[in-house]
Amino acid sequence: MKKIFIDGSAGTTGLRIAERLESRKDIELIKLSEENRKDIAARKEAINLADIAFLCLPDAAAIEAVSLIENDNTVVLDTSTAHRTNEDWAYGFPELSKEHEEKIKNSKRIAVPGCHASGFIALIYPLVEKGILDKNALLSCFSLTGYSGGGKKMIAEYEASDKDNLLNAARQYGLSQNHKHLPEMKAITGIENEPVFIPVVDNFYSGMEVTVPLFASEINGTVEDIKKAYKEKYQGPLVNYVESFDENGFVSANKLSFKDSMEISVSGNKDRILLIARYDNLGKGASGAAVECMNIVLGVSKTEGLDI
């Protein structure tokens, strides 16, 4: 039985991971008391006892946690931004290629993808890989997310009985175009330019819809070539191509709330194309992706303990 430690188990990502693991019979969770969960000595002992350690921490704390490891056995699954562009770490999106999955399987250091980045990368990676999209393409990306992505503080703000009226409408952020997911979006897809990124948080708990718009004149091929690339790449069980998202003319960003899967689709027409990814920001966008990577390391089904 493998020993698992969640460093940062009180945060939204850590709590969701713990929920996914609580009924597992093949693992043993190492738990710290409330008074010890921030104690560096207690955390160091737990990390070094663990076969697999999830880091659900801010970047600086995640880097510190890695430095506490004194053995060659502990596998680290880091959900922070700290290591996602580090080539020495496996990038935790196995559906991108067999090489990605093999690196996850054999690595001791795995960076779990960011929530916004997951959708963008899922949409763009196959098109660059197939040559349908040039690496020097100038792209934009619109991403709509539930407020749980902002962590406990934002959740409390949205769920307060006397919440600010401004929270009742969608709110765009990342206005300086320096969002922390941009380096990851560029590095993993292999594009040469970071996209113009438009993240929006709205008044629903969880769910995410990422859209990349394209003019047909910007691609090498047709809309059908894009669909074919997605059909070949995403055949499940966790990421699937869906022929249409159209729900009476709408697409709901929270349809997969609390699920750990992702759907990919293409809309628009022969001139203007919409590439769309839909998933849960805390599922395939965070905790679900982390557990999927753990399953690969353990050599069990990718979907073990997940809700798809």
Side-chain angles (χ1 to χ4, degrees), residues 6-302:
I6 305 172
D7 196 3
S9 59
T12 52
T13 299
L15 286 170
R16 180 71 71 88
I17 290 172
E19 289 173 3
R20 294 294 187 253
L21 300 184
E22 62 185 9
S23 63
R24 297 277 292 259
K25 305 300 183 185
D26 57 335
I27 65 168
E28 175 188 347
L29 275 177
I30 300 172
K31 297 182 180 180
L32 299 182
S33 64
E34 182 62 27
E35 59 266 27
N36 283 336
R37 69 181 181 85
K38 292 186 178 181
D39 180 80
I40 192 165
R43 290 172 53 226
K44 180 177 180 178
E45 181 181 7
I47 290 173
N48 282 282
L49 282 173
D51 295 293
I52 298 175
F54 292 94
L55 306 182
C56 304
L57 304 164
D59 288 7
I63 293 170
E64 177 191 56
V66 174
S67 74
L68 300 177
I69 300 173
E70 298 177 335
N71 66 78
D72 296 325
N73 301 316
T74 301
V75 176
V76 176
L77 286 158
D78 181 14
T79 69
S80 81
T81 312
H83 300 102
R84 291 176 186 157
T85 60
N86 187 329
E87 293 184 356
D88 293 332
W89 286 60
Y91 188 72
F93 204 122
E95 291 82 7
L96 294 180
S97 70
K98 290 181 180 179
E99 290 76 17
H100 279 86
E101 183 165 346
E102 282 300 309
K103 191 170 182 179
I104 293 167
K105 182 179 180 180
N106 297 304
S107 180
K108 300 293 185 183
R109 301 289 181 266
I110 303 164
V112 179
C115 55
H116 295 289
S118 293
F120 179 83
I121 291 166
L123 294 169
I124 298 304
Y125 185 96
L127 306 190
V128 173
E129 180 184 44
K130 292 286 188 181
I132 297 171
L133 198 61
D134 293 334
K135 290 184 177 182
N136 63 358
L138 299 176
L139 303 173
S140 61
C141 175
F142 177 87
S143 186
L144 177 60
T145 183
Y147 58 77
S148 60
K152 283 189 169 181
K153 181 180 179 181
M154 183 173 283
I155 292 171
E157 290 172 347
Y158 271 90
E159 296 184 352
S161 58
D162 60 344
K163 71 178 179 182
D164 192 313
N165 186 56
L166 292 176
L167 302 184
N168 289 319
R171 295 189 299 160
Q172 183 177 335
Y173 62 104
L175 303 180
S176 67
Q177 289 299 300
N178 290 312
H179 194 282
K180 64 181 182 179
H181 289 180
L182 284 167
E184 172 187 2
M185 293 158 78
K186 176 185 174 185
I188 304 303
T189 58
I191 56 176
E192 297 175 359
N193 306 288
E194 293 178 351
V196 175
F197 184 39
I198 309 160
V200 175
V201 61
D202 206 351
N203 189 21
F204 59 97
Y205 182 77
S206 71
M208 182 163 272
E209 177 193 333
V210 175
T211 302
V212 176
L214 295 172
F215 285 103
S217 58
E218 296 175 305
I219 65 172
N220 303 311
T222 67
V223 175
E224 294 306 315
D225 293 322
I226 294 174
K227 292 180 179 180
K228 181 181 178 183
Y230 290 157
K231 289 176 184 177
E232 292 175 351
K233 177 73 71 177
Y234 302 127
Q235 299 180 9
L238 286 162
V239 183
N240 291 279
Y241 172 76
V242 177
E243 191 61 37
S244 176
F245 280 165
D246 192 323
E247 298 149 358
N248 296 317
F250 295 89
V251 180
S252 175
N254 74 343
K255 184 176 181 181
L256 296 181
S257 181
F258 291 97
K259 299 292 185 181
D260 296 305
S261 52
M262 175 186 284
E263 296 176 342
I264 302 291
S265 194
V266 181
S267 296
N269 55 46
K270 64 181 180 64
D271 298 314
R272 297 178 303 282
I273 306 163
L274 298 176
L275 313 177
I276 307 174
R278 180 163 61 178
Y279 50 106
D280 186 351
N281 56 289
L282 290 179
K284 184 59 173 166
S287 307
V291 174
E292 178 189 3
C293 289
M294 183 197 77
N295 288 336
I296 291 172
V297 171
L298 293 177
V300 301
S301 169
K302 292 179 188 178

